[in-house]
Amino acid sequence: MPEDFAAAERTALRGLLETLKQEGLVPPEWERAARAVPRSAYMPERIYLGDDLDPCDRADAPETWLRAVYADDSVVTQINDGEEPGEDGGRWASSSASAPGIVFRMLRMADVDDGHRVLEIGTGTGWNAGLLSHVVGPENVTTVEVDPVLAASARERLWRQGLRAEVVAGDGALGHAGGAPYDRLVATCSVRSVPRPWLEQVRPGGVVLTPWESPWICYGLLRMTVDDADTASGRFSPHSAFMLMRAQRTDLRIFRDVVSDAHRPDESGSGLPPWRVAGDDLAAQFAMGLRLRDVWWTWHDDPDVEGVASRLWVATTDATSWAAVDWNGKSDDRFTVWQHGPRRLWDETEAAYAWWTSHDRPGPERFGLTVTATGETPWLDAPDRPFPATG
C-alpha cells in the first residue's frame, strides 16, 4: 500500500473515531477493535455511491473510495444480488457495509464480553465479524451469509487478517445449530418476523439483537432476552434501517403489482390526511407497521387522474386487498378513498392511527415484542400490555 494512502487512511480513521466518540458510541474496547480491524481491509475494490449507485473503483479513484469507506455512512458493496444489470440498466442495492455509527451502537447494545460465543447473521464484508473477533476471540465467532460469493470473500478477508472466525454460507434464518448454544445473536439484516431457530440456538439469558422492519417501514432495532428455547421478549429502539433478510423479501414494489383494471373499488371519504401515516413522522409509521403487520404503501404523485394531485396506495403483501387515498391539492380536511378486496385497508389504517394518538403518540422505545413458539405479540410499555395487530 502506498505510504500516502496509508497516511490518508490513518487520518480518516482518526477523524471517524473522534466523531463517534463525541457521540458516545465507541467505548475503549471497541475503539481498540476499530484500530486493529481497519474497515478498508474489508471493503471490496468496487463500491457503489449515490442514489444512482455509480461504481467507484479503488484503483481509479482512491481518494473518493477512501472517503466513502471512512465516512459515518453505509456503503453499497453489491448490486442486483451480484448479477449484472438487465437491459433496462436498473440497479438496486443488495448488500452494504453498515454505517460505523450504527455498527458500534449495536455492538454496545449487544453487551458483548470477552469469551462470549456470538452468532452473527449477515456477514456482508466481514468487518463486523472482525470487530467481534477482536473482542471475544475469533474462535467464539460464527457468522452466516446467504450469498456464497460474499461469504467466500469475507472468509478470505478475515483469514488474511489472522482472524479465523467460522464463516458459514447458508440461510441466516436457520442460524447455525452446529455452534449452539450462543451467548449473543447479532443480525446485520432486518427481519419482519424473528426466526424461531434463533431462540433455540441462544442460551437462556442470552441476547438476540436484530434490526426490524415491517412492510410499512424499515426502522428500528429489537433487543430481546431469551427466556427458554421457545420464548424471548424485549424492546425496540429507533434510528436504524437495514436491508431485509433475503428469505423474507416480497416481490411487490409498486401499486401496479396489486391493482387490476378489472377491480371495482368502493368509494368513500376520509378526514385523515394520508401524510400523517406515510409522511415524515417515523414514530407514526413505526406504530402503523406494528399494528398492520402485512400492509405496505407507496406514493403516486401526479397520477394523471383529473382532480388528483397525489395518491397514497396501501396494499397487503398477499396482493388481495388495497386502498387508494386521493388528495386534490387544495383541501386538507377531506380525501377521497377507494378500497378493494376482503379487507377495508384504509378503515384499518384510520383505526390504527386513532389508537396511536389515543396512547400519546408513542415512539419505538415504548414498544416491545414477545416471541413464543406459537407467534409474536407486540406490546406497549410492558409485556402485560399487548395490543391487537392485523396480518
Side-chain angles (χ1 to χ4, degrees):
M1 179 184 293
E3 186 174 343
D4 57 345
F5 186 93
E9 181 177 22
R10 288 193 296 271
T11 300
L13 173 60
R14 184 166 56 250
L16 174 63
L17 287 176
E18 285 302 319
T19 297
L20 297 179
K21 284 161 63 177
Q22 288 175 8
E23 298 174 6
L25 295 175
V26 189
E29 67 272 23
W30 292 112
E31 180 179 356
R32 291 191 292 270
R35 295 186 183 280
V37 184
R39 196 175 191 227
S40 62
Y42 292 84
M43 285 289 187
E45 294 293 306
R46 170 171 288 185
I47 57 178
Y48 300 87
L49 305 178
D51 293 339
D52 295 328
L53 298 177
D54 295 319
C56 173
D57 293 325
R58 175 174 174 170
D60 297 333
E63 293 182 359
T64 302
W65 185 92
L66 187 67
R67 187 163 52 249
V69 167
Y70 283 102
D72 187 18
D73 200 357
S74 60
V75 178
V76 174
T77 56
Q78 185 197 67
I79 59 171
N80 301 46
D81 285 342
E83 302 291 337
E84 289 295 322
E87 294 182 0
D88 62 357
R91 297 176 178 178
W92 48 277
S94 54
S95 187
S96 66
S98 302
I102 189 62
V103 168
F104 289 111
R105 178 183 165 210
M106 289 182 65
L107 291 172
R108 288 190 63 186
M109 289 178 65
D111 194 24
V112 174
D113 204 356
D114 183 21
H116 272 164
R117 294 180 54 76
V118 182
L119 175 61
E120 180 193 37
I121 306 298
T123 312
T125 67
W127 185 53
N128 203 63
L131 295 169
L132 285 165
S133 296
H134 186 268
V135 170
V136 305
E139 70 279 4
N140 292 317
V141 175
T142 301
T143 179
V144 182
E145 170 58 53
V146 68
D147 188 313
V149 174
L150 295 181
S153 297
R155 183 184 298 109
E156 180 181 352
R157 295 182 188 117
L158 286 161
W159 286 21
R160 192 186 302 143
Q161 297 295 312
L163 301 173
R164 291 185 172 266
E166 183 174 7
V167 180
V168 179
D171 184 355
L174 301 178
H176 183 62
Y182 303 96
D183 299 287
R184 299 289 186 270
L185 185 151
V186 179
T188 60
C189 55
S190 63
V191 298
R192 293 177 176 175
S193 180
V194 178
R196 299 307 184 271
W198 292 7
L199 307 189
E200 298 167 1
Q201 295 171 24
V202 174
R203 65 169 178 79
V207 171
V208 172
L209 178 64
T210 181
W212 179 264
E213 76 168 74
S214 65
W216 197 278
I217 186 174
C218 178
Y219 186 64
L221 292 170
L222 175 62
R223 187 185 192 276
M224 312 181 76
T225 299
V226 175
D227 298 324
D228 55 46
D230 294 325
T231 306
S233 188
R235 290 184 177 275
F236 292 99
S237 63
H239 310 311
S240 74
F242 284 72
M243 293 182 185
L244 181 64
M245 176 179 283
R246 293 189 186 185
Q248 296 188 12
R249 285 178 181 171
T250 57
D251 293 330
L252 304 176
R253 297 178 185 273
I254 58 176
F255 65 89
R256 295 184 185 89
D257 293 329
V258 298
V259 179
S260 166
D261 289 339
H263 291 169
R264 295 292 179 264
D266 298 324
E267 181 181 357
S268 60
S270 174
L272 175 63
W275 48 82
R276 294 275 179 86
V277 295
D280 295 333
D281 193 334
L282 299 183
Q285 286 204 47
F286 186 82
M288 295 302 100
L290 279 183
R291 285 291 304 262
L292 309 172
R293 293 289 295 275
D294 64 342
V295 181
W296 58 282
W297 60 267
T298 185
W299 282 101
H300 189 186
D301 292 323
D302 300 320
D304 196 25
V305 176
E306 185 177 355
V308 179
S310 186
R311 172 175 285 171
L312 176 70
W313 294 91
V314 296
T316 54
T317 55
D318 65 4
T320 61
S321 299
W322 60 263
V325 185
D326 290 344
W327 177 53
N328 61 16
K330 301 174 184 178
S331 173
D332 288 346
D333 57 5
R334 200 64 184 166
F335 306 87
T336 302
V337 178
W338 308 90
Q339 300 190 85
H340 172 81
R343 290 168 58 182
R344 308 285 86 178
L345 287 190
W346 192 247
D347 295 351
E348 292 183 19
T349 301
E350 288 183 319
Y353 184 78
W355 176 89
W356 179 69
T357 57
S358 71
H359 287 79
D360 299 323
R361 304 171 183 264
E365 63 281 353
R366 286 184 57 191
F367 289 102
L369 190 75
T370 296
V371 182
T372 68
T374 57
E376 299 179 345
T377 303
W379 43 265
L380 180 66
D381 294 327
D384 61 0
R385 294 186 60 190
F387 59 85
T390 61

